[in-house]
Amino acid sequence: MRTDLVKLDKGDLHTAVGKEKLKQAAKLLRAGEVVAFPTETVYGLGANGMDVHASLKIYEAKGRPSNNPLILHIAEFDQLDGIARDISEDAWKLMKAFWPGPMTIILHKREEVPVETTGGLSTVAVRMPSHPVARELILQAGVPIAAPSANKSGRPSPTEAIHVMEDMEGRIPMILDGGKVGIGIESTIVDMTEEKPVILRPGFITPEMVDEIVSGVTIDPAIMGGPLAEGLKPKAPGMMYRHYAPLGDMWLVEGAMEDVVRKINEMTKEQQQLGYKVAVIGTDENIGDYQADIVRSIGSRKDPAQIGASLYGTLREMDQLGVQIIYAESYGEEEFFGAIRNRILKAAGYQVLKV
C-alpha cells in the first residue's frame, strides 16, 4: 500500500487546496480506511469508529491487541447523542470545562457503538480535540473517529508526521502532516461511569484541575504501580501493555539528584566497558554532569510542558542512534510531572532503580 504524506497546516484549512486535501482524507474515512492526523496531544490513527471493519483496520495497522479500547473523537456535543447514554451531571461539568481539549471521558456506550471499537466493554472513551485540523476532519467525515496514537503498538507516540511515517508507511493510505504537536503527551482519561471520577491515565489536565470542577477525584493505582493484572480488561488505552518504549533497555533512576547523577555515571561506565552504547535522558539543570555516549536534555524542570513535548521525540532519537542502554532521570507526581513520570515508567517497562 502506498502511504501519501499530505501537508495540511491549520492556516490551509480555508484555502481551496487545503479544502481539497481535507475532502480526500474525509472520503477515505467514510470508505472505511485509516488516516493519521494531528491533534494537540499526539498524532492519531483515525478510522470510522462506528464501522466494525474500519476499527479492526486500526488494530491491524498498529499491531495492537483488540481488547485495548479505542477513543472516539468528536467535534460537536451533538455527536454524543449517538454514542453515549446516561451521562451524569458531573460528566457534563467536565466536558464543558475542558472540551475541546486534552481530556478523554469514559461514558456508558450506546448499543450502536461496536464492541470492536470499545475493546469489548460496555463503556466508551470519548474526546473532543482542540486541534483545528482534527476538528475539521471529524466534521468533514461526518462520523466519530476512533483514533489511538498513530504508532506501532508499544512504540513511542508520534509528535510529528515523520514519526508516523516511520511506523505506518505501507500500512495506511494517508498521513495528514499538521506539523509538530503542542502538548506531546496523550490526553488525561477520566472514568465517569463510577460514583466519583477516576483518573485512568494522567495527562496535561491534572487531578487538581479535575478536582476543581468535580470533587472527590481518585487515581487508579495501576497508573504508577505497574501494568494491569493478567486476565483483567483495560478500561482505557495504555493500562495493560508496555507503551512508549524505545528499542534499547531503559531504566528510571530515582533518588536525590546528586545520587542519581553519581549512580548513572557509575552504571554508564560499567556498561561501556561491556561494549554497550549508553545514553542518558536528563534535564537542563543536570545534563552537563553526565558522561554517556549520548546525552540529551528534554527541557528544564521549571517548564514541565517543554519536557512533555520533547519526551517521545527523544525516545525515538535513541533508536535512530542505535542506543542499547538508556538511563533516565525521574520526576515527582505533582501536577503535569505525574503524567511525564507515568510515560517514562511505561517506556522503561517499570524498571526502576532507587538510589
Side-chain angles (χ1 to χ4, degrees):
M1 178 187 297
R2 172 182 168 181
T3 301
D4 291 325
L5 185 63
V6 179
K7 186 75 175 176
L8 184 62
D9 290 324
K10 58 184 179 181
D12 299 330
L13 290 175
H14 302 294
T15 67
V17 173
K19 289 179 180 178
E20 182 59 30
K21 291 176 180 178
L22 204 61
K23 180 180 177 181
Q24 292 303 315
K27 183 178 179 181
L28 284 169
L29 289 170
R30 287 194 298 272
E33 295 297 337
V34 180
V35 174
F37 62 97
T39 76
E40 71 276 21
T41 56
V42 297
Y43 272 77
L45 192 65
N48 181 354
M50 308 302 284
D51 181 333
V52 172
H53 301 292
S55 292
L56 291 176
K57 285 183 179 181
I58 293 176
Y59 290 116
E60 182 181 0
K62 284 182 67 72
R64 175 179 181 149
S66 59
N67 68 335
N68 204 2
L70 305 174
I71 296 173
L72 282 182
H73 290 62
I74 62 175
E76 297 177 326
F77 281 97
D78 289 348
Q79 290 180 287
L80 277 171
D81 293 339
I83 59 179
R85 60 176 177 81
D86 302 327
I87 301 174
S88 68
E89 182 179 344
D90 283 345
W92 281 112
K93 288 179 181 178
L94 289 182
M95 289 183 238
K96 291 174 181 177
F98 296 112
W99 281 6
M103 173 179 279
T104 295
I105 299 179
I106 306 290
L107 302 167
H108 297 289
K109 84 173 187 72
R110 290 194 178 277
E111 290 185 4
E112 291 85 348
V113 181
V115 292
E116 288 80 3
T117 297
T118 64
L121 299 174
S122 61
T123 55
V124 60
V126 189
R127 179 162 109 78
M128 184 186 291
S130 61
H131 196 289
V133 173
R135 288 175 59 78
E136 194 61 31
L137 177 63
I138 297 165
L139 289 171
Q140 292 291 329
V143 294
I145 297 180
S149 53
N151 54 290
K152 288 181 183 176
S153 186
R155 296 275 290 127
S157 298
T159 55
E160 299 181 51
I162 191 62
H163 298 161
V164 183
M165 185 63 87
E166 289 171 2
D167 285 5
M168 291 295 149
E169 186 172 12
R171 292 171 172 258
I172 62 175
M174 183 183 288
I175 300 168
L176 290 179
D177 181 0
K180 188 173 182 178
V181 303
I183 295 175
I185 294 285
E186 297 84 357
S187 61
T188 304
I189 299 180
V190 186
D191 183 3
M192 293 304 297
T193 64
E194 306 293 338
E195 185 175 342
K196 292 291 185 179
V198 181
I199 293 181
L200 303 182
R201 183 176 72 187
F204 187 79
I205 296 172
T206 66
E208 294 82 3
M209 294 164 69
V210 175
D211 202 60
E212 286 182 6
I213 306 301
V214 179
S215 63
V217 62
T218 59
I219 301 175
D220 192 289
I223 284 179
M224 296 303 177
L228 202 65
E230 187 175 349
L232 295 178
K233 284 188 175 182
K235 204 168 187 179
M239 295 188 73
M240 182 175 286
Y241 312 100
R242 185 185 183 204
H243 268 50
Y244 326 118
L247 298 176
D249 191 25
M250 185 169 171
W251 287 83
L252 184 64
V253 186
E254 294 185 332
M257 192 50 62
E258 60 270 25
D259 295 329
V260 168
V261 171
R262 174 185 52 78
K263 187 63 176 178
I264 286 178
N265 283 334
E266 287 177 1
M267 295 188 297
T268 294
K269 186 175 180 180
E270 291 170 1
Q271 296 299 327
Q272 287 173 327
Q273 289 173 344
L274 294 172
Y276 292 108
K277 188 173 185 178
V278 183
V280 174
I281 298 176
T283 47
D284 291 351
E285 288 79 1
N286 312 295
I287 204 66
D289 297 328
Y290 295 111
Q291 299 156 12
D293 299 294
I294 306 294
V295 179
R296 290 288 183 271
S297 171
I298 52 175
S300 169
R301 289 178 178 269
K302 298 176 183 177
D303 188 0
Q306 179 190 14
I307 293 174
S310 303
L311 175 61
Y312 290 148
T314 302
L315 292 179
R316 284 182 173 267
E317 184 188 9
M318 297 297 104
D319 292 347
Q320 295 164 359
L321 295 172
V323 172
Q324 296 163 294
I325 305 288
I326 304 168
Y327 298 118
E329 294 177 1
S330 185
Y331 304 88
E333 297 181 19
E334 68 279 6
E335 299 183 337
F336 188 38
F337 279 124
I340 294 167
R341 184 173 184 273
N342 168 261
R343 301 319 194 270
I344 295 178
L345 269 173
K346 287 181 173 292
Y350 297 94
Q351 295 188 130
V352 180
L353 180 64
K354 297 182 183 295
V355 296

